Amino acid sequence: MPLNIAIDGPAGAGKSTIAKLIAKKKNLIYVDTGAMYRAVALYILRQKTDLDDADAVASACREADITIRYEEGVQVVYLNGENVNAFLRTEEVGNTASKTSANPAVREHLLNLQRKLAKENDCIMDGRDIGTVVLPEAQLKVFLTASSDVRAKRRFDELVAKGEAADFEKIKADIEKRDYQDMHREIAPLKQAEDARLVDTSDMSIEEVVDTICNMI
Ligand code: DC
């Protein structure tokens, strides 16, 4: 059975940064499930589907064929054959993904793809429901979190470093709104699995978090 590590936690906790570094260190593939939800959200945005119409979202998502390839160790998401990695990391796509991922048809659409990747590869997979729903048998589950102030500050610094406009209070409010949506949806809400280990990264450096989880492995 391949080694499966599940990393769950709220937006901005550092899941992808940490998971990528651990993947490199331990020779695992890194499966970013948020990117899959973002690709579906991108399709829905491009189709101008009404986000409040659950049936329309469900039928649009079935037209979105998502495939994952690993090119030079990097996960590349294809949406109906197009490499969409460059379009996935915007606030608009992230906020839309938080909404559309509450739709049961969207979750079902991506679940098999996620499980297939984990069955065929030693992997570290991050998301919101990996330890609770996608990979309940994962050998290690980590719930990675940090206070909303710290998460907003990290995002703020990232935008400033890129020379983009950033409003700390707005970023924090968006993060708290996404936390609420991700934790309160009916299907597969964000929560710590009973057998997951909690790592609060608020006062930890990236290296400390990586070392902590590598020691758990
Ligand atoms: O991790 P991220 O910011 O790229 O995720 C974008 C949105 O996708 C997030 O707000 C909720 C959703 N998501 C989910 O519902 N389940 C997952 N396993 C991963 C992401």
Side-chain angles (χ1 to χ4, degrees):
M1 184 185 167
L3 174 63
N4 288 171
I5 300 172
I7 311 269
D8 289 302
K15 299 184 297 295
S16 66
T17 305
I18 300 299
K20 269 185 213 158
L21 289 168
I22 295 174
K24 228 183 198 161
K25 250 186 145 163
K26 297 285 179 185
N27 205 19
L28 311 168
I29 65 161
Y30 165 51
V31 183
D32 175 0
T33 64
M36 300 176 192
Y37 284 98
R38 284 170 183 263
V40 170
L42 178 67
Y43 182 77
I44 285 168
L45 279 171
R46 284 178 173 178
Q47 295 303 111
K48 302 197 182 350
T49 307
D50 176 359
L51 299 182
D52 295 318
D53 181 343
D55 291 337
V57 168
S59 74
C61 91
R62 292 189 193 100
E63 296 162 8
D65 177 46
I66 309 291
T67 43
I68 300 294
R69 280 189 221 140
Y70 286 87
E71 297 173 7
E72 288 163 24
V74 176
Q75 172 179 297
V76 181
V77 183
Y78 286 83
L79 166 62
N80 295 329
E82 175 194 354
N83 174 345
V84 290
N85 269 24
F87 306 108
L88 300 182
R89 307 299 322 167
T90 67
E91 297 301 306
E92 185 190 25
V93 171
N95 290 333
T96 305
S98 178
K99 264 192 122 173
T100 53
S101 61
N103 187 299
V106 173
R107 304 206 72 80
E108 199 190 310
H109 190 61
L110 297 175
L111 184 64
N112 288 340
L113 173 62
Q114 293 162 0
R115 286 197 174 143
K116 188 166 179 283
L117 285 166
K119 209 172 161 189
E120 293 172 354
N121 301 281
D122 289 329
C123 74
I124 181 162
M125 184 180 291
D126 79 355
R128 303 292 188 286
D129 60 339
I130 311 306
T132 50
V133 175
V134 182
L135 305 177
E137 307 295 331
Q139 291 95 331
L140 174 65
K141 299 179 185 178
V142 174
F143 193 84
L144 204 66
T145 190
S147 68
S148 58
D149 266 311
V150 167
R151 289 184 284 134
K153 177 76 171 49
R154 287 177 187 160
R155 182 77 190 125
F156 177 85
D157 290 344
E158 237 174 66
L159 289 171
V160 170
K162 279 199 257 172
E164 290 177 29
D167 172 344
F168 178 81
E169 288 307 327
K170 169 144 193 340
I171 293 171
K172 190 175 161 199
D174 273 355
I175 280 186
E176 286 174 350
K177 184 172 171 211
R178 271 177 66 182
D179 285 355
Y180 186 87
Q181 280 176 178
D182 294 348
M183 288 171 173
H184 291 85
R185 65 179 177 226
E186 264 175 51
I187 302 184
L190 169 65
K191 65 169 185 227
Q192 186 178 344
E194 270 176 26
D195 51 352
R197 302 175 67 167
L198 179 70
V199 178
D200 185 331
T201 70
S202 301
D203 299 312
M204 292 171 87
S205 67
I206 292 174
E207 293 71 30
E208 282 172 328
V209 179
V210 169
D211 286 348
T212 301
I213 298 176
C214 283
N215 287 337
M216 292 174 179
I217 301 172

